[in-house]
Amino acid sequence: MAKQTINIGSSANDGTGDPLRTAFDKINDNFDELYGTSLTERVSLDTSPQLGGDLDVVTHSIVSTSNRDIVLAPNGTGAVKASSLKFSGTSISSDDSTLVQINEGLNVSGATTLSTSLALATGATVTGVDNGALGSSATLLATQGAIKTYVDSQVTAQDLDLAGDSGTGAVDLDSQSLTIAGGTGLTSVAGSQTVTLNIDATVATLSGSQTLTNKVITSPTINGATMTGPVTVDTITLDNNIIKSNASNADLELNGNGTGQVRILPNATVVGTLNTADIATTGTHTITGQAEVDSVRIKDNKITTNSSNANLEVSANGSGIIDVQNAMTTVGQTVTGNVAVTGRADIDNIRIDGNVISSTSSNGSITISPNGSGSIVLNAGTISAQDGILGISTAFVNNTIFMARGSKIQANSTNDDVVLESNGTGSVVLDQVSITDNKITTHVSNADLQIDTDGTGVIDILTDTQATVGSAGGASALPGQPTGYIKIKIAGTLRVIPFYDQA
């Protein structure tokens, strides 16, 4: 759409201008043209000018509306500036005195002239190109002509020096060729740029099968060798499965290097006497026959001393102990000295665990029996039979038998008597009461004999009792008078009870 101009007439209110509605419609159309489309739509669809003429501004782009160039032409000596770049005529320079940088690949189709020097990423700065002799300057590039001239002069002036095991030689590189000739057991073949050296059958190879005769090999390394017949190494001979010393009566020694060991992997048999220093072995050792170690002999399952009448001692080192893992059976052995057993000890049917001796058999008894007239001495201050009965055939007590409160002496069987009997003319003394035969008396001189009951109990004499405590004249007593009396102290009061002869 082309730009629309509002007709305002020749003078104010002369009636020749656009009506107000028409004028604002043109204004809206002009604004719609400015803001109605995007840059892509503007470039690809709308080619009508937006700002007038053939040039339009869309978002951040300046777009031509026809197939014409966009020319930025400053007036006079002015220049076109874009950020820090300055364009003046055909010259591009920096407007802030910094280097002009081209950060992408540069393709120049025409000739390029550098007015000063060329500096690459590394290396010397190039100041020009020279077609003369090489080496005249460190900053000039050489042309192909200069390089060829230099190489030709060098090849013409140089030769190749040769040196052999004997003699030397030289090859003029400009006019001569190098010849590689064969020798004993060796031929050479040249083709194109390759010289091949071939050996014949007289030369031994690593993988070939050759026979060496009368050869001396110094410091060889032999891997997986097969040797037929006796092999002599210094003074050692290897013959079939025998290794022996060549020197008369010389020892045969097998010695590892440094801390290395001599290892015999299969079974080993020693015929004769084996003399060794210290032996450290690992694993199971099977010895058939008799083994003697110093003064100890081991044969079958028996360890004995080798010296006559010598003791056999089993001793651990330092604080170590002798640990017998399996059951041990001894026959008539005598142990002298202290024996310390840590843990439980089971001896036949007796168990000793801590300070307890018990029977391992169900309901089994424990019998402590001295030999002959020997005694059993219990040194404890108190001997207790807990939750059971202490059965003794005859007991001899040197001092005192103590009984706890409420304890009693009782026959073990029902209706059996409990007999407390003195020996000879002695008495059974209970506190201060003496019982001798069938007589009860006080044990303390001139003390009263008291018979008392607890509480309201009475003294009940169930059988006939005859007592003559005092006499009133006996048979000569007058009739009706007491023949005697009994003195009884009741509750602290002396009572005299007379008695009479029965008429």
Side-chain angles (χ1 to χ4, degrees):
M1 183 185 72
K3 177 182 177 183
Q4 300 184 65
T5 304
I6 300 174
N7 185 5
I8 62 174
S10 300
S11 61
N13 300 320
D14 62 356
T16 62
D18 289 335
L20 186 60
R21 177 178 176 78
T22 302
F24 277 105
D25 183 58
K26 291 181 179 180
I27 292 173
N28 288 337
D29 289 342
N30 289 333
F31 275 102
D32 289 340
E33 186 72 18
L34 288 175
Y35 298 105
T37 58
S38 65
L39 174 62
T40 303
E41 294 171 342
R42 190 68 51 77
V43 173
S44 61
L45 299 177
D46 192 355
T47 58
S48 61
Q50 304 300 313
L51 299 179
D54 295 328
L55 192 63
D56 195 5
V57 177
V58 179
T59 60
H60 301 290
S61 301
I62 299 176
V63 182
S64 63
T65 58
S66 62
N67 295 327
R68 300 187 62 182
D69 299 331
I70 297 175
V71 179
L72 301 178
N75 192 7
T77 59
V80 177
K81 295 182 180 181
S83 186
S84 296
L85 288 179
K86 183 177 181 179
F87 300 88
S88 179
T90 58
S91 175
I92 301 175
S93 61
S94 173
D95 192 48
D96 57 2
S97 301
T98 59
L99 294 176
V100 176
Q101 299 182 11
I102 301 176
N103 296 326
E104 303 295 337
L106 182 63
N107 185 4
V108 180
S109 60
T112 301
T113 301
L114 299 178
S115 59
T116 57
S117 60
L118 175 63
L120 300 178
T122 58
T125 300
V126 178
T127 59
V129 179
D130 185 18
N131 194 34
L134 296 181
S136 59
S137 173
T139 60
L140 295 178
L141 292 178
T143 63
Q144 288 186 2
I147 295 173
K148 182 178 184 305
T149 301
Y150 176 78
V151 172
D152 290 343
S153 64
Q154 294 299 315
V155 172
T156 301
Q158 299 295 324
D159 58 8
L160 176 62
D161 295 329
L162 304 177
D165 293 335
S166 62
T168 60
V171 178
D172 188 346
L173 298 179
D174 187 41
S175 60
Q176 294 178 331
S177 61
L178 175 64
T179 300
I180 300 177
T184 302
L186 187 67
T187 58
S188 63
V189 177
S192 297
Q193 292 79 35
T194 303
V195 176
T196 303
L197 299 177
N198 299 317
I199 58 176
D200 57 22
T202 63
V203 179
T205 60
L206 293 178
S207 59
S209 298
Q210 290 88 20
T211 300
L212 302 179
T213 304
N214 297 328
K215 306 299 181 184
V216 176
I217 303 176
T218 303
S219 300
T221 299
I222 302 174
N223 296 324
T226 300
M227 300 180 183
T228 303
V231 177
T232 300
V233 180
D234 199 4
T235 59
I236 300 297
T237 298
L238 289 78
D239 190 3
N240 293 329
N241 61 343
I242 297 175
I243 302 175
K244 63 181 180 179
S245 174
N246 279 339
S248 178
N249 298 323
D251 295 333
L252 178 62
E253 298 181 357
L254 301 177
N255 188 14
N257 192 358
T259 59
Q261 302 174 345
V262 176
R263 302 182 60 193
I264 302 176
L265 297 182
N267 299 328
T269 301
V270 178
V271 180
T273 301
L274 177 63
N275 296 321
T276 64
D278 296 337
I279 299 178
T281 59
T282 302
T284 302
H285 305 280
T286 302
I287 300 176
T288 302
Q290 180 174 290
E292 295 185 3
V293 182
D294 200 3
S295 297
V296 176
R297 176 178 297 162
I298 302 174
K299 181 173 177 57
D300 297 331
N301 60 347
K302 185 177 182 180
I303 302 175
T304 58
T305 58
N306 197 16
S307 300
S308 177
N309 299 324
N311 296 328
L312 178 62
E313 298 179 0
V314 180
S315 176
N317 192 358
S319 60
I321 62 174
I322 298 174
D323 185 0
V324 180
Q325 297 288 331
N326 298 326
M328 181 173 64
T329 302
T330 61
V331 180
Q333 302 300 321
T334 300
V335 178
T336 301
N338 297 328
V339 177
V341 178
T342 301
R344 190 180 74 188
D346 291 337
I347 304 173
D348 202 3
N349 293 326
I350 297 297
R351 174 176 297 162
I352 303 175
D353 191 359
N355 58 350
V356 178
I357 300 176
S358 60
S359 174
T360 59
S361 300
S362 177
N363 300 320
S365 301
I366 298 177
T367 302
I368 302 176
S369 178
N371 192 358
S373 60
S375 301
I376 296 175
V377 179
L378 302 176
N379 291 325
T382 302
I383 301 174
S384 300
Q386 298 178 355
D387 301 330
I389 298 174
L390 179 62
I392 303 175
S393 176
T394 301
F396 177 78
V397 179
N398 284 327
N399 197 341
T400 305
I401 296 178
F402 292 98
M403 300 181 67
R405 181 185 297 273
S407 61
K408 55 187 175 180
I409 300 174
Q410 179 180 339
N412 188 36
S413 300
T414 304
N415 300 324
D416 280 354
D417 297 331
V418 175
V419 178
L420 299 178
E421 183 178 355
S422 62
N423 193 355
T425 60
S427 300
V428 176
V429 179
L430 302 177
D431 200 3
Q432 295 183 8
V433 176
S434 177
I435 301 174
T436 304
D437 296 330
N438 58 352
K439 182 179 180 181
I440 301 175
T441 61
T442 58
H443 189 64
V444 179
S445 179
N446 299 320
D448 296 334
L449 177 64
Q450 299 179 358
I451 301 176
D452 196 3
T453 62
D454 191 7
T456 58
V458 297
I459 299 174
D460 186 4
I461 300 176
L462 298 179
T463 62
D464 293 336
T465 303
Q466 295 181 359
T468 302
V469 177
S471 176
S476 63
L478 297 176
Q481 290 183 349
T483 58
Y485 57 87
I486 298 176
K487 292 182 180 180
I488 300 176
K489 185 179 286 187
I490 301 175
T493 302
L494 180 63
R495 308 284 183 170
V496 178
I497 302 175
F499 62 87
Y500 302 87
D501 289 336
Q502 188 173 3

